[in-house]
Amino acid sequence: MPPSTPDFLYGTAWKEDRTAGLTELALGAGFRGIDTANQRRHYHEAGVGEGLAAAYRAGIVTRADLFLQTKFTSLGGQDHRLPYDRDADPATQVAQSMASSLEHLGTDRVDSFVLHGPSSGYGWTDEDAETWAAMVKEREAGRTRMVGVSNVSLRHLMQMEAAGGERPAFVQNRCFARLAWDHDVRAFCAERGIVYQGFSLLTANPEVVRARLVAGIAARERATAAQVIFRFAQAVGMLPLTGTTNVEHMKQDLASRTLTLSADEVHAIESLAV
Ligand SMILES: NC(=O)c1ccc[n+]([C@@H]2O[C@H](COP(=O)([O-])OP(=O)(O)OC[C@H]3O[C@@H](n4cnc5c(N)ncnc54)[C@H](OP(=O)(O)O)[C@@H]3O)[C@@H](O)[C@H]2O)c1
């Protein structure tokens, strides 16, 4: 992991009016990494900023303790509540979105700025390359420490690399157990020192959460199936996300790092749904 990257991220999607309170609760529970996006359709980034401010006031954390990650979402992923001018070029939209994120989050620099998704499901386009170059400029200007991409296939990543753009520090993907937990993308990332962030680890994989193998490990470790999945994710090198709204789950998720899985168990979970 790059320096000061935590081993778990708290995700702030779909929390609407509860965003500020849940963000503060997650920080109180021990999370030090926060994931959000300047995409009002699914996130309330200003609410995340309110939660951070409340946690600072309460003395729970300081900005220096935290890893803050936000995203640039292109027009196709937004509703009418845009953080940039609809008619501006992608580079201007990136700069406007970043300025708005910094204001929402009450900071002058985020730790990671992620492209929410490429413009096409089929490949890395010229528009993506233009957007990515603008995001790298934000890094060069000191407004983010790192840049990353999300919702990408191996094809996107290979084309992005072939286009000669800068390598992302992070890939954030929905992680399906039936694809051996996104094995090919994870392998690409591992070879290049890119940190793979996995989301929907529970919700995309109900068959694994219910699996007898996982239940057996959970019983031995006096843990829950969710904790076994999160520990597995860390064991294969992922940085997992959780967006739980339940404070007990928050604590359990963080405590999953203490579970012990053998190499054979990790391998068995990796191939469970393939
Ligand atoms: N890049 C993207 O396009 C993208 C897309 C989706 C999500 N994300 C990010 O990933 C974050 C997480 O999203 P997600 O899709 O993984 O779903 P999630 O919001 O984390 O939902 C997890 C679900 O599992 C339940 N759950 C049960 N036991 C749990 C436990 N021990 N720990 C955690 N959850 C438990 C939760 O219920 P309780 O609330 O009752 O615990 C919740 O309903 C989002 O907030 C967002 O930041 C990114």
Side-chain angles (χ1 to χ4, degrees):
M1 299 279 171
S4 71
T5 306
D7 64 2
F8 226 125
L9 296 181
Y10 183 70
T12 60
W14 313 304
K15 294 174 172 59
E16 291 298 322
D17 292 351
R18 300 177 69 198
T19 303
L22 286 168
T23 300
E24 188 182 358
L25 199 62
L27 295 172
F31 283 92
R32 293 296 176 262
I34 299 288
D35 176 78
T36 187
N38 207 342
Q39 180 206 34
R40 192 60 192 83
R41 181 175 168 195
H42 294 304
Y43 297 79
H44 184 15
E45 194 180 49
V48 174
E50 287 165 28
L52 295 174
Y56 301 154
R57 278 196 306 274
I60 298 169
V61 285
T62 67
R63 170 68 185 92
D65 299 324
L66 299 180
F67 173 92
L68 298 181
Q69 173 168 279
T70 190
K71 309 186 194 82
F72 170 76
T73 311
S74 321
L75 264 180
Q78 300 275 7
D79 62 15
H80 60 285
R81 295 167 289 179
L82 295 172
Y84 47 69
D85 293 339
R86 175 177 295 278
D87 300 323
D89 59 88
T92 306
Q93 290 179 344
V94 165
Q96 290 177 342
S97 184
M98 174 60 107
S100 158
S101 287
L102 296 179
E103 196 179 321
H104 286 156
L105 298 172
T107 187
D108 53 11
R109 184 174 73 158
V110 291
D111 297 283
S112 170
F113 189 38
V114 170
L115 175 60
H116 211 151
S119 55
S120 159
Y122 298 103
W124 187 252
T125 64
D126 290 348
E127 182 189 325
D128 296 329
E130 195 183 333
T131 303
W132 182 244
M135 292 178 62
V136 170
K137 272 200 183 142
E138 292 299 310
R139 212 256 342 270
E140 288 165 355
R143 289 186 280 273
T144 182
R145 279 201 306 127
M146 290 176 275
V147 284
V149 290
S150 182
N151 296 301
V152 286
S153 62
L154 184 59
R155 186 186 168 100
H156 283 124
L157 289 168
M158 290 172 69
Q159 291 179 347
M160 183 184 186
E161 187 169 86
E166 182 167 315
R167 181 175 285 172
F170 299 105
V171 162
Q172 183 183 104
N173 269 2
R174 179 166 280 121
C175 193
F176 289 100
R178 67 170 182 276
L179 301 177
W181 307 85
D182 214 3
H183 177 272
D184 294 351
V185 169
R186 286 193 292 115
F188 178 97
C189 290
E191 280 165 18
R192 290 159 178 80
I194 300 169
V195 174
Y196 180 97
Q197 303 180 2
F199 63 86
S200 301
L201 288 160
L202 304 179
T203 51
N205 306 304
E207 74 283 23
V208 177
V209 178
R210 285 194 304 263
R212 196 189 289 184
L213 169 70
V214 171
I217 299 170
R220 184 195 68 213
E221 294 292 310
R222 295 192 168 77
T224 66
Q227 287 180 295
V228 174
I229 305 294
F230 286 130
R231 181 67 195 107
F232 156 78
Q234 290 173 334
V236 294
M238 278 188 225
L239 170 53
L241 285 103
T242 176
T244 180
T245 56
N246 174 309
V247 71
E248 287 311 314
H249 288 165
M250 290 178 185
K251 290 178 189 159
Q252 287 171 0
D253 293 354
L254 288 172
S256 61
R257 61 167 74 99
T258 63
L259 269 56
T260 307
L261 303 187
S262 70
D264 284 349
E265 287 169 342
V266 171
H267 184 69
I269 296 173
E270 197 166 18
S271 43
L272 197 58
V274 181

